[in-house]
């Protein structure tokens, strides 16, 4: 596939929403794709589109199916307990029984490397990308539209704005999906993405009667004595550089600590990313298949560099939160990251 993707112009968002909406209405067969590993925002964005394509406002219900290369479970995040019955809707293989061509709608994607699909091998399909990253991604196919708005705190918030523009009815269920995505991506309304749009939309969701206290409780970090022990041990393995901190965790090491993947991810998100004077935090974690998941977070003077770093490893994501899958030696990835930062 050659050429450039159709670009999102912030001033023309209303026009872009109209174009995306008309494409939705004309589609006969739709696959809704979440990146892998899935997160709360991507799952809830998929469920918002499920409500849209199942609604008579689309003329007739549109046949659609969910795809995520890594099947989501409620164990991935405590906020997913609110949508647990819906997680069985996701398939980890692309459908083959649908009439071609497909409309493939990808949410919260950052990069196709995280989606488990290869657009250049799918020239007869049409793609729509919905995300809040700062601009169009370079590997987006020419046969598609990217609707991006960096002002939005989450992809669910972007879809909410599309619903509002088209006067689509906002129910309590829809408001819950929107709020869950915002809570997850803004770090419980505490990070830099918790802007005026986040509070405005969250207020709208509260007015729809979402279960705010329960959502707050589910989003709050959980600290057990066992998790605290893991954190204490992990702290000893931190590699500090100027404005940079990283941690490499082998599966066997985590097992020896008596910890879980969630323990170490919480340590990364809650402790490493909050360290004063640190602009870049990196977690390099061994996965079950022997590859390494690299998580990047950026803030301060390097607030927009996480996605740039992930791209160096074939990954992607948002400007200040991104991931990549790496198949080499983890210490090489750490050294490469430091080298990239020194360029």
């Amino acid at each position: 596939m050659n050429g450039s993707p159709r670009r999102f112009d912030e001033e023309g968002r209303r026009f872009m929403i109209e174009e995306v909406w008309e494409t939705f209405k004309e589609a006969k067969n739709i696959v809704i794709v979440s990146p892998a590993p899935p997160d709360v925002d991507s799952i809830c964005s998929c469920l918002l589109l499920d409500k849209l394509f199942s609604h008579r406002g689309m003329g007739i219900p549109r046949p659609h199916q969910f795809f995520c290369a890594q099947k989501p479970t409620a164990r991935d995040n405590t906020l997913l307990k609110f949508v647990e019955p819906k997680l069985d809707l996701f398939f980890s293989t692309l459908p083959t029984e649908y009439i071609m061509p497909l409309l493939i709608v990808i949410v919260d994607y950052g990069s196709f490397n995280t989606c488990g699909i290869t657009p250049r091998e799918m020239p007869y399909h049409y793609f729509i990308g919905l995300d809040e990253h700062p601009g169009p991604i370079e590997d987006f196919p020419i046969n598609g539209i990217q609707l991006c708005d960096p002002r939005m705190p989450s992809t669910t918030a972007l879809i909410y704005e599309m619903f509002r523009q088209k006067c689509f009815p906002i129910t309590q269920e829809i408001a819950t999906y929107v709020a869950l995505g915002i809570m997850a991506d803004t770090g419980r309304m505490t990070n830099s993405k918790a802007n005026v749009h986040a509070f405005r939309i969250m207020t709208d969701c509260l007015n729809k009667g979402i279960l705010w206290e329960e959502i707050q409780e589910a989003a709050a970090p959980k600290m057990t004595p066992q998790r605290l022990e893991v954190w204490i041990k992990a702290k000893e393995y931190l590699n500090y550089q100027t404005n940079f901190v990283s941690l490499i965790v082998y599966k066997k090491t985590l097992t020896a600590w008596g910890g879980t993947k969630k323990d170490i991810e919480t340590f990364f998100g809650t402790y490493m990313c909050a360290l004063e004077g640190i602009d870049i935090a990196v977690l390099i974690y061994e996965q079950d298949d022997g590859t390494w998941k690299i998580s990047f977070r950026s803030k301060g003077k390097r607030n927009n560099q996480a996605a740039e770093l992930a791209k160096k490893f074939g990954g992607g994501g948002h400007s200040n939160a991104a991931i990549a899958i790496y198949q080499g030696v983890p210490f090489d990835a750490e050294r490469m990251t430091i080298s990239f930062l020194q360029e």
Side-chain angles (χ1 to χ4, degrees):
M1 253 175 229
N2 298 316
S4 300
R6 300 185 61 177
R7 303 275 169 161
F8 167 71
D9 178 0
E10 187 171 337
E11 294 182 358
R13 186 183 73 176
R14 292 186 65 84
F15 172 80
M16 291 293 293
I17 285 178
E18 293 296 331
E19 189 168 1
V20 167
W21 194 266
E22 288 305 311
T23 304
F24 284 167
K25 290 180 69 173
E26 294 171 3
K28 305 301 182 192
N29 297 283
I30 302 167
V31 176
I32 306 169
V33 178
S34 166
D39 63 18
V40 175
D41 186 35
S42 64
I43 294 302
C44 289
S45 295
C46 289
L47 295 178
L48 284 172
L49 293 176
D50 173 57
K51 301 302 292 185
L52 171 65
F53 295 136
S54 302
H55 193 269
R56 62 182 181 274
M58 284 282 99
I60 59 172
R62 294 290 182 266
H64 58 279
Q65 190 174 110
F66 298 115
F67 167 72
C68 182
Q70 180 178 320
K71 192 170 176 63
T73 71
R75 296 189 304 274
D76 295 329
N77 190 297
T78 52
L79 285 172
L80 289 178
K81 74 174 188 178
F82 292 94
V83 298
E84 186 170 7
K86 302 282 188 179
L87 299 183
D88 287 337
L89 296 173
F90 287 81
F91 291 87
S92 56
T93 56
L94 282 171
T96 57
E97 70 274 16
Y98 272 20
I99 300 172
M100 303 300 176
L102 296 172
L103 172 63
I104 300 177
V105 185
I106 305 176
V107 301
D108 196 31
Y109 52 97
S111 167
F112 276 95
N113 291 322
T114 65
C115 296
I117 58 176
T118 307
R120 65 176 177 272
E121 297 175 358
M122 311 171 79
Y124 302 109
H125 306 311
Y126 197 76
F127 294 83
I128 288 181
L130 303 174
D131 205 348
E132 81 279 9
H133 53 65
I137 61 170
E138 295 176 358
D139 63 348
F140 201 89
I142 194 170
N143 51 320
I145 305 171
Q146 292 186 74
L147 176 56
C148 315
D149 190 341
R151 301 171 303 171
M152 291 296 102
S154 67
T155 305
T156 61
L158 175 64
I159 297 173
Y160 171 81
E161 291 293 86
M162 181 168 61
F163 282 8
R164 273 211 325 159
Q165 179 171 320
K166 300 304 298 180
C167 300
F168 189 80
I170 307 298
T171 63
Q172 183 186 35
E173 183 181 7
I174 285 174
T176 297
Y177 296 155
V178 173
L180 290 172
I182 293 174
M183 282 291 280
D185 272 23
T186 61
R188 308 179 307 281
M189 304 295 284
T190 61
N191 66 27
S192 60
K193 295 176 75 172
N195 56 20
V196 62
H197 302 288
F199 284 95
R200 171 180 58 81
I201 296 172
M202 189 63 79
T203 299
D204 291 348
C205 294
L206 288 167
N207 290 335
K208 291 295 180 180
I210 64 171
L211 302 176
W212 176 242
E213 290 77 12
E214 288 85 344
I215 291 174
Q216 277 188 309
E217 172 63 22
K222 306 298 188 294
M223 180 58 72
T224 64
Q226 175 267 340
R227 176 166 288 177
L228 181 59
E229 289 289 338
V230 173
W231 282 29
I232 291 171
K233 292 170 182 174
K235 185 175 178 293
E236 299 302 316
Y237 284 76
L238 291 176
N239 176 19
Y240 292 97
Q241 304 285 330
T242 304
N243 304 122
F244 170 88
V245 64
S246 62
L247 175 65
I248 296 172
V249 182
Y250 286 83
K251 280 199 310 177
K252 63 181 181 181
T253 303
L254 189 57
T255 300
W257 291 348
T260 65
K261 177 176 131 179
K262 188 65 178 176
D263 292 330
I264 212 66
E265 288 179 340
T266 307
F267 175 74
F268 174 66
T270 304
Y271 180 81
M272 290 175 62
C273 296
L275 288 170
E276 187 174 352
I278 296 297
D279 293 334
I280 300 286
V282 179
L283 172 64
I284 306 174
Y285 175 76
E286 186 180 15
Q287 301 194 106
D288 291 338
D289 61 1
T291 61
W292 295 84
K293 176 184 173 183
I294 311 178
S295 296
F296 301 91
R297 296 292 186 274
S298 59
K299 62 181 181 178
K301 296 178 181 178
R302 296 182 178 273
N303 185 45
N304 297 319
Q305 289 194 354
E308 295 176 16
L309 290 170
K311 192 180 298 184
K312 301 282 188 180
F313 294 91
H318 307 304
S319 59
N320 59 0
I323 65 168
I325 303 300
Y326 181 68
Q327 297 187 353
V329 178
F331 292 98
D332 288 345
E334 184 180 55
R335 284 190 291 268
M336 289 166 62
T337 301
I338 295 171
S339 176
F340 293 145
L341 292 171
Q342 293 172 345
E343 290 179 355

